[in-house]
Amino acid sequence: MKTRFAALALAALLPILAACKADDGTTNTSAPAEPAATPASTEPAAPAAGGEAAALAAEGDKTAASAAPAPTTAALTGPAPVEGADYQLIPNGQPFQPAAGKVEVVEIFGYVCPACAAFQPLVGPWKAGLPSDVNFVYVPAMFGGTWDNYARAFYAAQTLGVQEKTHEALYSAIHSQKTLKGERGADSVDDIAKFYGAYGVDPKQFAATMGSFAVNAKTNSAKQFAQRSQISGTPSIIVNGKYLVKGKSFPDMLRIADHLIARERGAAQAH
């Protein structure tokens, strides 16, 4: 739990960003909306202003989830979340990847999204501190254009066993190092595959995997899940397929998620 509290403390120093938007221009109601001043080294501007994401934090605390204690009511902070204000109930919501005895937490994200890049230094350590009966799943958004290529890259990296070690590095390449363009231009499949080549994957194999039937099936499932969950932007946090988290800031999103996770864990234990 110390990891999670440390992440929230750090979060207070980070800007509150507008969400990245879908093609229709609507904004994700679960994401922060007002920017706050921070040092230049950690200040990604809102997407509408064309700003870039913060320099990414070093690799998060790797404490095993299995060692994390179950959160208690006393460990939760702030008031219990209220439907409509703090979360949206998803009609007939189901987990993305149901697992017996597990509460699922999904982050729908986009590598090209500056708000997601700024959220990662918070959600990474928070994820590492979740208890063993909580299953955290990244789901890439399919908003069209370069978003879709990067969603395919996520699943290709997963297929080839390099997703975990490249996740934060890819954010950094786009938003900090700017060796990839993200939404500033158009990265080709070969451009993206070349990035993964630095992590021991043959670029030609990576490009072929991006276009494979298996990866297409996974991206289709991701798109359908996002549509069922009624998101309109990224980052979005969804608990157990039932709750689309809102929140006034990134730390508030994680605080609300903690409450909803505890609610779902309690319900599961009652059965």
Side-chain angles (χ1 to χ4, degrees):
M1 296 302 294
K2 290 182 179 178
T3 301
R4 298 166 70 188
F5 291 145
L8 293 179
L10 172 63
L13 302 177
L14 293 177
I16 300 172
L17 301 177
C20 295
K21 296 179 180 180
D23 287 343
D24 63 4
T26 56
T27 303
N28 178 12
T29 56
S30 72
E34 298 180 0
T38 56
S41 62
T42 59
E43 184 183 358
E52 301 306 327
L56 300 180
E59 186 173 0
D61 187 346
K62 297 301 182 182
T63 302
S66 60
T72 64
T73 303
L76 299 173
T77 60
V82 176
E83 181 180 353
D86 298 313
Y87 67 89
Q88 175 181 323
L89 194 62
I90 299 169
N92 302 312
Q94 297 293 327
F96 180 64
Q97 294 176 344
K102 300 279 188 176
V103 173
E104 182 184 86
V105 178
V106 164
E107 182 201 354
I108 300 182
F109 75 99
Y111 282 122
V112 303
C113 169
C116 296
F119 190 42
Q120 180 57 36
L122 299 183
V123 77
W126 181 81
K127 165 183 174 286
L130 291 171
S132 59
D133 61 349
V134 177
N135 184 35
F136 186 97
V137 182
Y138 288 116
V139 174
M142 298 282 288
F143 286 164
T146 192
W147 286 76
D148 290 6
N149 273 344
Y150 275 105
R152 293 186 184 97
F154 172 85
Y155 283 120
Q158 191 178 80
T159 299
L160 296 172
V162 295
Q163 187 275 316
E164 287 286 343
K165 68 180 179 180
T166 57
H167 190 70
E168 293 189 0
L170 186 51
Y171 274 129
S172 182
I174 296 170
H175 300 284
S176 298
Q177 300 169 13
K178 301 183 182 179
T179 52
L180 289 167
K181 301 180 187 71
E183 286 192 314
R184 300 187 306 278
D187 295 310
S188 68
V189 169
D190 288 342
D191 291 333
I192 296 170
K194 184 178 178 181
F195 164 84
Y196 285 96
Y199 293 87
V201 178
D202 178 72
K204 290 183 179 180
Q205 181 188 14
F206 193 90
T209 304
M210 281 179 64
S212 68
F213 175 82
V215 165
N216 284 335
K218 289 180 179 180
T219 54
N220 286 338
S221 293
K223 185 172 186 177
Q224 291 168 12
F225 178 77
Q227 290 172 340
R228 290 197 310 270
S229 301
Q230 302 179 350
I231 75 157
S232 58
T234 55
S236 288
I237 294 289
I238 297 160
V239 177
N240 231 19
K242 297 180 180 180
Y243 310 107
L244 175 59
V245 174
K246 293 186 176 183
K248 300 177 179 66
S249 66
F250 290 155
D252 197 41
M253 287 172 66
L254 298 182
R255 181 193 69 79
I256 292 166
D258 276 335
H259 278 269
L260 296 173
I261 291 167
R263 179 185 298 179
E264 289 298 289
R265 294 179 77 231
Q269 291 167 7
H271 288 83

